[in-house]
């Protein structure tokens, strides 16, 4: 079962890796305001098909969570993707990918500030490596003697 989980994680990483390239190509042919809803309509249809195949019945969230989920969807999907797609019209896929690698670091920092989550030493080391790795790539690499 663990091999199956790793396989799905690898597939997810591959799909995420293809996303910036695909978006760059699609934004040259279509309007951003068309792409975003179309993209999530297709994803929603696929998810409903999967839920039908697996006989999932309880896919609606509790009513008390709807406002929070709608806000998360609006900012996390609509606004985020709109900004990302617009940025890709003016910059390269490489720049977008490098900048997006800071997302985990930003997420952890915001979780610390707003949710008071604590980090262990391994997580802190990972953040430092990630941050400096991104900084190294964005700067074009250090010219060592």
């Amino acid at each position: 079962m663990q091999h199956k989980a790793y396989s799905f994680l690898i597939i997810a990483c591959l799909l995420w890796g293809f996303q910036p390239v695909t978006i760059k190509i699609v934004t040259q042919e279509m309007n951003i305001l068309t792409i975003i809803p179309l993209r999530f309509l297709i994803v929603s249809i696929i998810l409903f098909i999967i839920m039908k195949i697996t006989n999932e019945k309880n896919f609606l969230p509790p009513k008390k969570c709807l406002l929070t989920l709608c806000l998360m969807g609006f900012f996390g999907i609509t606004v985020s993707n709109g900004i990302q797609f617009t940025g890709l019209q003016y910059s390269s896929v490489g720049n977008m990918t490098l900048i997006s690698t800071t997302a985990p670091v930003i997420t952890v920092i915001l979780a610390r500030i707003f949710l008071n989550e604590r980090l262990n030493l391994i997580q802190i080391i990972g953040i430092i490596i990630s941050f400096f790795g991104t900084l190294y790539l964005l700067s074009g690499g250090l010219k060592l003697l």
Side-chain angles (χ1 to χ4, degrees), residues 108-124 127:
V108 168
I109 291 168
L110 292 174
R112 176 68 179 137
I113 293 169
F114 292 106
L115 303 175
N116 203 27
E117 288 190 9
R118 300 228 177 250
L119 301 175
N120 63 38
L121 183 60
I122 299 292
Q123 292 169 317
I124 292 169
I127 289 169

Side-chain angles (χ1 to χ4, degrees), residues 56-112:
E56 180 63 45
K57 302 281 189 249
N58 300 322
F59 59 89
L60 293 176
K63 288 183 182 181
K64 67 180 182 174
C65 299
L66 287 179
L67 177 62
T68 303
L69 290 172
C70 286
L71 288 172
M72 288 171 55
F74 178 73
F75 287 106
I77 303 298
T78 307
V79 173
S80 174
N81 281 287
I83 292 169
Q84 179 182 4
F85 295 177
T86 302
L88 272 169
Q89 289 180 324
Y90 299 102
S91 187
S92 70
V93 171
N95 286 340
M96 195 254 19
T97 304
L98 288 172
I99 292 168
S100 70
T101 60
T102 61
V105 175
I106 293 168
T107 301
V108 168
I109 291 168
L110 292 174
R112 176 68 179 137

